[in-house]
Amino acid sequence: MKLFIVIFFCLVYQLKYLCNSVEASFPSVLINGVEHETFPISRGDETRILREDARIPKTRRNKELPPAQYTWGGLYPRDTATREVKSLDGIWNFRLSPKDDPDKGFREEWYSAPLASSGDVIAMAVPSSYNDVTQDKDLRDHVGWAWYDTFFMTPRRWLEDGERVLVRLGSVHYSCVVYVNGVAITAHEGGHLPVLADVTLAVKPADQANLLTVAVNNVLTNETIPQGEIQYKTDETMYPPGYFIQYYDFDFFNYAGIHRPVLLYSTPQSYIDDITVVTDATGVLNFTIDYVAAAGVTDLSCSVDVFDANMSSVAHADACQGTITISNPQLWWPYLMDPKPGYLYTLRASIKAADGSLVDQYPIRVGLRALSWGATGISLNGKPLYIRGCGKHEDSDIRGKGFDPALVVKDFSLLKWLGANAFRTSHYPYAEEIMDQADAEGIMVIDESPAVNLRTFDETLASRHSEVMRELVRRDKNRPAVISWSLANEPRSYQAAATSYFANVSASTRAADGTRPLTAAINAQYDVDLAAPSLDVIWVNRYYSWYSDTGHLELVQQQVVTDLTRWYNKYNKPVGVSEYGADAVPGLHMDPAYTWSEEYQMQLFLGNFAAFDELRGSSVVFMGEMFWNFADFMTQQGTGRAGGNKKGVFTRSRQPKPTSFLVRDRYLNLASGKQSPQESCRWFKSTP
Ligand code: GCB
C-alpha cells in the first residue's frame, strides 16, 4: 500500500512537471539565406532572435558564399605532390557564452580579437567534446554557444605560389560559424560531417599570425537532425525565471564541440574537387574526376594511375572519366572471408596543364568489389554475406565524442578479437579516419545518418535529411567497407507522414548513390511501420526480455523468431536484427540471472543466438545479427541509466564483460563454419 501511494504521488508530480514544460515555438532566422529555427535566449516564453547580422559580421554580409561551402566538406586533406597539410589540433582558448545571454559573443564581436582579450578563457582540447574535460557542471551541461580560438601561420610558399588556403574541421557539433581574422568565412549546420572554409582571401601575409575563431552551438530543435526541443519551465514557483532545458530523446549524451581534427591545407588554384569510383569484381573500375579550373584556365586534362598495395603501378588512363581494367585483380574482402581482407589499391588522379605539367594530384584508396542485394540476401563478390556485428558509438571517457587515434586502433583490435565483420555507425556518421580503418581492416559498415529517433515528419525536415544524406554519400561513396546507407535509427515510423517522408528521402539518397542498399534501424512493429516499403533491406532493433517481458529470458527465442518471420513474410526483403541487448553493470553477478547482472546479459545473448540460428535454418532470408552495444557509453542522466548505458560487451574503458567471450566464440565459429555456434557456448547456459 505504501508503495502504491508513493507511485501515485510520483505520477502526479511527473504529470505536473510535464505540463509545465511547454514546447516553445521560436521565430526563424536567416543564416546565409537558409531559414533556421532559432533557440531560446531569454526568460520565460519571451523569446528574442539572434539577428542574422549578429552571426555574420558586416564584412561578409551581402557576399554570397558558394552553396558548396555548406554541403561539401571537400576531399580529405592529404599531403600530395601539389598539396600540403598542417594540423591545427592542440589546446585552444575557449569560453562559453552565458546560457541566459547566448548572443553576447556576437554582440560583443568576440571573433574580432583573441578571445583572451574580451574576457576569461580556459584551455580546451581540440579535437574533443568540451563537456567532460573539466570539473565544471555548467560546462558539461551547457546549452547554447561556445567559442574557441587559436592562431595559425600560413606557410610562406603557399602564399608565394598563390595557392588556395583552406581550413577543414572534421566535425563540429552541432552548428558553427568559422571566422578568420574576424571575418565569417562559413557556417555549417549538422555535426558528424566536415566543415570546409576557403580562407584564401582572409589570411594575412606569411609573417603574421591569423586568428581562427569557431563559434559552436549545440542546440537541437524540431528542425535539426537529430531533433530535440528547448523546453521552458514557466512555473516560477518551481523553477527560476527563464529556466529551460534541452530535451532530446535519443540515448546518448549530446556531446558538443570541435570533435574531429582541424586541418589547414593548400591546393592549387585549379584543383581536383571530387573523385567517384565504382568497381566490380572483375577488375573493372569506373572513375570520374571533377575538377575546378581557376579563372582563365581552359585546357586542363586528367589522368589516372592505379597502384597495388606495394605501390607498383597496375593501370593508367588519360581521361577525366572512363573505365580501367586491372588484370589479376585482388578483390576487397571482409575480415575472415579471405586471408587478405581489406585489400586496397591506390587510385591517383592528376590534372595537367596543356604543356603536360602537373597541376593537382590526389590519391584515394580503392577496393575492388561487387555488392548486390535482392530477395535472396546481400552478396559480396558473388558470395552471400552474413553480417556479424554490433552497434557502436564514438564515445570515451574525458574526450566524449572527440576523435582519438588510440581509441580507433583499440576498437578495431577488439572488433577483430570478437570475430566481427561489421558495425553500424549508430547513430551518426563516424570520423573519416575510422572509416579509413574499416576499409583497410575489411570491416563492413552500415553507414548511418544522424537522423536518430525522428519524432515528426514534414517536407522541411525531409529536405534537410536528404541534404545530410547527400553530404554523407559524397563523403563516403568510394569506400569499399560501406555496404549500406542507413537513413535513420528508430524513427517514429508509425506516423502517417512517414510514408511520403521515407519515400522522399530514399529517392534522393538513391539518386546520390544507387550502388548500395538503403536501410534503417526500425523499432516500430511490422504491422504499423511505414518506412520499410521505401527500404531495400530491413533491420530491426529488438529488446525482448529487456524492454518487454523483462526478466523472462525464456521468451527471447520464440519472440525474436516470430517477429522477424513476420517482417520477412510481409516484405519478402532480407531482414536482420540491428540491436538487441541488456544492460550489465560490470562485476554484478546474480545467479539465477537477474536484470543488470552480467549473467542476465549473457543469457539474453544466448536466447538471441538461438533465435538467429533458428531463423538461419528457416525460409526467412536472415542477413545478420548486430548486438547493442560494443562498449558502455555516456547518456543523459536518467533513472534507467546507471552512469550511462551499460549494454556494452566491453566497458567504457574497453575491458571485457563475460558476454564478449560468448560473442567471440559465436562469431569466430560463424566465420569458420567449423561447428554450430550454439554448440560451443552450451556450457554457459544455466538450464542444460
Ligand atoms: C535503442 C536505441 C539505442 C539505445 C538502445 C538502448 O533502441 O537505438 O540508441 O541506446 O535502444 O539501450 O535502449
Side-chain angles (χ1 to χ4, degrees):
M1 188 57 192
K2 252 190 202 159
L3 184 68
F4 176 77
I5 293 169
V6 169
I7 292 174
F8 174 75
F9 278 107
C10 284
L11 278 175
V12 171
Y13 178 77
Q14 191 86 356
L15 272 178
K16 187 165 162 36
Y17 170 90
L18 282 176
C19 295
N20 284 337
S21 358
V22 291
E23 186 181 328
S25 94
F26 303 111
S28 44
V29 286
L30 280 180
I31 303 177
N32 301 329
V34 182
E35 235 180 64
H36 293 259
E37 188 175 273
T38 186
F39 46 82
I41 53 176
S42 193
R43 29 178 63 208
D45 28 41
E46 175 208 338
T47 58
R48 285 182 291 141
I49 61 165
L50 183 61
R51 299 180 327 276
E52 183 196 6
D53 62 358
R55 292 193 190 217
I56 309 298
K58 291 193 182 66
T59 35
R60 286 307 302 190
R61 253 183 293 150
N62 307 323
K63 284 190 190 169
E64 269 304 301
L65 296 172
Q69 291 276 10
Y70 304 107
T71 56
W72 172 223
L75 294 167
Y76 189 90
R78 296 196 191 285
D79 277 318
T80 76
T82 55
R83 300 171 173 226
E84 235 177 298
V85 185
K86 274 181 73 171
S87 169
L88 302 187
D89 293 349
I91 296 183
W92 293 26
N93 281 335
F94 179 89
R95 182 190 310 139
L96 291 180
S97 204
K99 200 178 165 193
D100 58 357
D101 186 10
D103 58 347
K104 189 169 184 204
F106 296 96
R107 206 176 51 243
E108 296 181 356
E109 304 194 347
W110 288 355
Y111 47 81
S112 62
L115 276 179
S117 68
S118 53
D120 291 342
V121 290
I122 62 165
M124 184 53 65
V126 172
S128 175
S129 298
Y130 57 67
N131 310 77
D132 289 349
V133 295
T134 72
Q135 293 70 256
D136 184 354
K137 177 181 178 302
D138 289 343
L139 178 56
R140 186 192 64 195
D141 298 337
H142 181 67
V143 179
W145 288 101
W147 291 78
Y148 288 74
D149 77 6
T150 192
F151 285 103
F152 69 87
M153 304 296 286
T154 315
R156 184 168 64 186
R157 59 189 176 279
W158 296 8
L159 302 178
E160 284 173 355
D161 293 351
E163 304 285 70
R164 291 167 73 231
V165 182
L166 302 109
V167 173
R168 191 182 193 265
L169 304 97
S171 121
V172 183
H173 189 83
Y174 172 81
S175 57
C176 66
V177 185
V178 179
Y179 301 86
V180 170
N181 298 324
V183 176
I185 305 295
T186 195
H188 185 268
E189 192 180 312
H192 321 293
L193 288 167
V195 184
L196 184 63
D198 183 337
V199 302
T200 315
L201 300 177
V203 291
K204 294 182 177 170
D207 58 352
Q208 292 174 36
N210 297 285
L211 176 66
L212 172 62
T213 310
V214 183
V216 182
N217 190 314
N218 63 351
V219 168
L220 302 176
T221 71
N222 278 323
E223 311 277 295
T224 57
I225 292 186
Q227 290 176 306
E229 186 179 295
I230 295 297
Q231 295 181 342
Y232 277 112
K233 308 292 188 179
T234 51
D235 177 355
E236 294 196 358
T237 63
M238 300 298 280
Y239 299 94
Y243 197 83
F244 66 88
I245 58 158
Q246 166 74 71
Y247 168 85
Y248 55 91
D249 65 4
F250 50 83
D251 184 34
F252 55 92
F253 195 87
N254 188 34
Y255 279 116
I258 301 178
H259 280 158
R260 297 182 189 156
V262 183
L263 301 170
L264 178 76
Y265 71 105
S266 68
T267 81
Q269 287 294 339
S270 296
Y271 61 95
I272 296 167
D273 186 41
D274 199 5
I275 301 170
T276 308
V277 168
V278 179
T279 69
D280 72 7
T282 66
V284 171
L285 189 157
N286 296 298
F287 64 91
T288 306
I289 303 169
D290 292 313
Y291 65 79
V292 174
V297 175
T298 47
D299 41 11
L300 294 174
S301 63
C302 313
S303 66
V304 158
D305 289 282
V306 182
F307 302 91
D308 66 14
N310 300 319
M311 286 313 280
S312 304
S313 172
V314 293
H316 173 87
D318 288 309
C320 294
Q321 182 165 27
T323 300
I324 40 186
T325 305
I326 294 161
S327 44
N328 303 318
Q330 173 81 46
L331 301 185
W332 189 93
W333 287 103
Y335 175 58
L336 298 180
M337 242 174 128
D338 187 81
K340 278 194 189 165
Y343 190 93
L344 295 174
Y345 290 86
T346 299
L347 179 147
R348 195 178 68 192
S350 307
I351 51 173
K352 290 178 185 151
D355 63 1
S357 60
L358 182 65
V359 173
D360 191 19
Q361 198 161 68
Y362 190 87
I364 61 166
R365 309 266 262 162
V366 173
L368 301 179
R369 57 118 175 103
L371 184 69
S372 57
W373 65 95
T376 55
I378 309 183
S379 304
L380 195 81
N381 305 332
K383 286 199 188 170
L385 279 184
Y386 185 70
I387 308 292
R388 312 178 303 270
C390 59
K392 282 185 97 273
H393 266 298
E394 287 182 314
D395 175 272
S396 73
D397 203 14
I398 302 169
R399 306 153 190 78
K401 293 206 177 303
F403 173 72
D404 174 359
L407 192 72
V408 176
V409 172
K410 181 71 176 175
D411 281 6
F412 276 93
S413 168
L414 288 173
L415 282 166
K416 288 164 74 179
W417 179 85
L418 285 173
N421 63 5
F423 64 87
R424 177 167 61 110
T425 67
S426 40
H427 297 309
Y428 38 78
Y430 288 4
E432 287 147 290
E433 295 82 355
I434 296 177
M435 303 299 282
D436 284 348
Q437 211 49 35
D439 284 339
E441 308 261 14
I443 301 291
M444 295 177 284
V445 177
I446 297 175
D447 206 352
E448 188 157 285
S449 86
V452 46
N453 294 35
L454 290 182
R455 298 154 5 113
T456 54
F457 305 99
D458 60 36
E459 276 180 27
T460 315
L461 197 70
S463 83
R464 176 78 191 112
H465 194 159
S466 297
E467 196 185 310
V468 172
M469 288 311 301
R470 279 192 290 269
E471 266 187 69
L472 174 61
V473 167
R474 197 158 178 198
R475 193 194 74 162
D476 288 349
K477 65 185 173 216
N478 295 323
R479 298 185 175 282
V482 175
I483 55 152
S484 189
W485 306 112
S486 169
L487 302 179
N489 179 75
E490 300 195 353
R492 298 197 179 155
S493 53
Y494 48 81
Q495 293 176 14
T499 302
S500 58
Y501 184 95
F502 279 98
N504 181 338
V505 178
S506 301
S508 52
T509 309
R510 270 197 196 96
D513 178 34
T515 70
R516 293 169 177 93
L518 297 188
T519 196
I522 296 175
N523 70 335
Q525 296 303 316
Y526 82 105
D527 51 349
V528 295
D529 163 78
L530 298 168
S534 299
L535 307 175
D536 299 309
V537 299
I538 300 171
W539 290 97
V540 294
N541 295 349
R542 287 297 182 264
Y543 286 89
Y544 289 117
S545 291
W546 186 254
Y547 291 124
S548 60
D549 291 309
T550 315
H552 294 279
L553 290 162
E554 64 281 5
L555 298 175
V556 174
Q557 181 173 351
Q558 180 185 352
Q559 294 187 346
V560 173
V561 170
T562 302
D563 190 348
L564 271 286
T565 307
R566 284 177 176 155
W567 277 98
Y568 181 70
N569 290 343
K570 178 159 182 188
Y571 289 105
N572 204 30
K573 293 177 181 177
V575 295
V577 173
S578 39
E579 284 184 27
Y580 66 95
D583 288 82
V585 173
L588 178 65
H589 294 290
M590 296 184 87
D591 186 26
Y594 190 94
T595 45
W596 291 86
S597 67
E598 295 192 324
E599 285 73 16
Y600 195 92
Q601 189 187 47
M602 285 198 286
Q603 297 289 332
L604 186 138
F605 271 58
L606 288 171
N608 275 280
F609 293 172
F612 303 152
D613 288 341
E614 193 178 329
L615 286 163
R616 278 158 61 78
S618 75
S619 57
V620 172
V621 176
F622 188 68
M623 63 183 159
E625 53 192 88
M626 306 189 95
F627 62 85
W628 188 260
N629 186 286
F630 175 77
D632 294 348
F633 57 92
M634 192 44 67
T635 62
Q636 59 182 320
Q637 300 186 57
T639 48
R641 294 288 174 259
N645 187 308
K646 299 284 183 218
K647 292 194 186 68
V649 304
F650 299 108
T651 65
R652 201 177 187 209
S653 55
R654 275 50 178 180
Q655 296 306 322
K657 297 183 195 172
T659 305
S660 66
F661 294 94
L662 285 186
V663 173
R664 171 173 155 84
D665 199 55
R666 175 174 176 82
Y667 281 6
L668 291 175
N669 280 320
L670 279 168
S672 68
K674 274 196 201 128
Q675 62 178 334
S676 142
Q678 274 305 102
E679 281 298 297
S680 61
C681 33
R682 194 187 305 157
W683 60 274
F684 280 104
K685 290 191 175 181
S686 58
T687 38

